[in-house]
Amino acid sequence: VSNVAPAGEELALRVRPSLALTVTPSRIQGWGLETAEVLVGAQAADAGRDNRVQLASTQGRLSTTTLSLDAAGEARATIRSESVGAGTLTARGG
């Protein structure tokens, strides 16, 4: 609503979904001894689109690097340790 248009105007804005990563458990044994589940969630994802997410890790071997979000905006993968030390897991979507 403004002085120029007191009745108000509608404005549609496209908002990119925010991605959230959850790794369970958050710590695993090194040298390939354990795996963890990676859950990627996208809020406000359009279920009708082809929603793909790219995963990358600085430490560990991912079961897949490309995930397709389901109708709820979620996708799952696993990560297996490769050596020892802290790593960073990142997700990017279109």
Side-chain angles (χ1 to χ4, degrees):
V1 175
S2 71
N3 291 338
V4 179
E9 295 289 332
E10 281 191 32
L11 178 63
L13 297 174
R14 293 186 57 100
V15 178
R16 295 180 87 183
S18 63
L19 293 175
L21 282 172
T22 305
V23 181
T24 307
S26 60
R27 296 174 64 106
I28 57 176
Q29 292 183 18
W31 304 115
L33 296 175
E34 281 190 301
T35 62
E37 181 181 60
V38 179
L39 174 64
V40 179
Q43 294 181 345
D46 183 359
R49 296 185 64 199
D50 181 22
N51 293 311
R52 293 181 190 259
V53 176
Q54 300 295 317
L55 287 180
S57 175
T58 60
Q59 289 270 19
R61 186 175 52 241
L62 292 161
S63 60
T64 184
T65 57
T66 302
L67 299 171
S68 293
L69 300 175
D70 62 14
E74 296 182 345
R76 297 178 190 276
T78 58
I79 186 167
R80 178 174 291 281
S81 61
E82 286 184 319
S83 61
V84 293
T88 302
L89 186 63
T90 57
R92 291 184 181 195

